[in-house]
Amino acid sequence: MPRGYARGMDDAAFLAELAGELAGLDGVVAVSLGGSRAQGAHRPDSDWDLGLHYRAGFDPASLRALGHPGEVSELGGWGGGVFDGGAWLRIGERAVDVHYRDVAVLERELTRAEAGEFAIEPLMFHLAGIPSYLLVAELALGRVLHGALPAAPEYPAALRHAAFARWWGDAQLTLAYARTAHAPAGRATQTLAMLGVAVTQTAHAVLAARGEWIANERTLLDRAGLRGVDVVLTRVEDDAAGLKAACVAVETLATDAAIAARRLLV
């Protein structure tokens, strides 16, 4: 283990040591704590999510040179876009995820979010992709440990309306295609996959209408009140009739949730 991390050190000391180490890398202007640990919802075995906020001059080779075991990506190595890459590290007994965040991109997305503008980008392990306002959500939900970052706004009214319309519009198209194209042909994999995507899109719409930030999909269905979809998708008969019935059931649940959420925008 690199010098400075005593085995058995407590969480506060560990976090201070690691944040200071990351803050010392060239080009890094701030380090933040995110994920469940920033919100006090972590378990003892939860990993540590650190945002490494940089301007021009940061080179991932400097992070790699710290010598912590794990994988360190290049900038853009996790697909590009607003989610700019990062590292999966093991520091002693702790799992640490480091996320690269370009401060110039964050400032741009703050401005766009205030105007109700955003994009949806594909990202591995995310069913429906991520909205570019994810960076603003991280700012609102995280905690700055070193340096300074812009203040996070309250959820912008323009974004509530625009994000609800985009996510729910996408969900309706996804649901319709699953029901009319894949289910009648008995294509179980495609049908169920699209239902999973559609209900995730619906959950994004619900939280947007409520003005609630969320930074990943892990608790998205629970927070949107859509976890009941699990019951439908785990009891599907995999013939055409069973798949069409599943589509109707999921569409009903999604529509009810979206109608209730839309009332918050009036």
Side-chain angles (χ1 to χ4, degrees):
M1 190 187 312
R3 189 173 60 187
Y5 293 91
R7 190 168 297 278
M9 69 192 308
D10 65 37
D11 286 347
F14 169 79
L15 184 59
E17 183 77 18
L18 179 57
E21 186 175 52
L22 296 177
L25 300 178
D26 287 345
V28 175
V29 298
V31 177
S32 64
L33 177 66
S36 61
R37 290 188 179 274
Q39 298 171 57
H42 59 283
R43 305 184 307 271
D45 62 343
S46 293
D47 58 10
W48 295 77
D49 293 300
L50 278 293
L52 190 155
H53 304 268
Y54 70 91
R55 292 194 185 271
F58 169 66
D59 185 344
S62 64
L63 175 59
R64 198 174 291 115
L66 295 177
H68 301 301
E71 298 182 20
V72 178
S73 86
E74 299 304 320
L75 293 177
W78 291 353
V82 298
F83 212 97
D84 202 24
W88 295 319
L89 304 176
R90 190 78 189 178
I91 303 178
E93 65 274 23
R94 295 174 172 92
V96 176
D97 293 346
V98 178
H99 298 155
Y100 307 152
R101 294 292 182 262
D102 186 330
V103 177
V105 174
L106 169 59
E107 291 167 345
R108 181 194 73 201
E109 293 305 325
L110 273 166
T111 300
R112 294 182 74 204
E114 292 277 17
E117 299 172 0
F118 68 99
I120 298 174
E121 301 177 352
L123 183 67
M124 190 174 292
F125 314 129
H126 289 70
L127 284 176
I130 59 167
S132 57
Y133 59 77
L134 169 79
L135 299 190
V136 187
E138 290 179 338
L139 195 62
L141 299 172
R143 177 159 59 95
V144 178
L145 304 173
H146 267 271
L149 292 172
E154 296 295 322
Y155 207 111
L159 185 62
R160 290 179 62 196
H161 286 265
F164 174 83
R166 171 68 188 278
W167 285 114
W168 177 230
D170 287 358
Q172 289 175 290
L173 291 174
T174 308
L175 287 164
Y177 199 83
R179 174 171 42 79
T180 61
H182 289 310
R187 292 190 285 262
T189 297
Q190 289 96 324
T191 301
L192 298 181
M194 294 193 81
L195 292 179
V197 169
V199 77
T200 302
Q201 292 166 329
T202 304
H204 271 296
V206 169
L207 264 64
R210 293 179 187 166
E212 295 182 14
W213 296 116
I214 190 161
N216 58 54
E217 291 181 352
R218 294 176 187 173
T219 62
L220 184 56
L221 297 188
D222 301 274
R223 287 180 57 182
L226 285 165
R227 184 53 68 188
V229 170
D230 289 352
V231 176
V232 176
L233 297 185
T234 55
R235 297 179 181 176
V236 177
E237 297 291 336
D238 62 358
D239 57 9
L243 293 172
K244 285 191 284 187
C247 288
V248 171
V250 172
E251 198 162 3
T252 299
L253 289 170
T255 300
D256 288 347
I259 289 173
R262 186 187 287 123
R263 295 192 186 104
L264 301 174
L265 299 173
V266 176

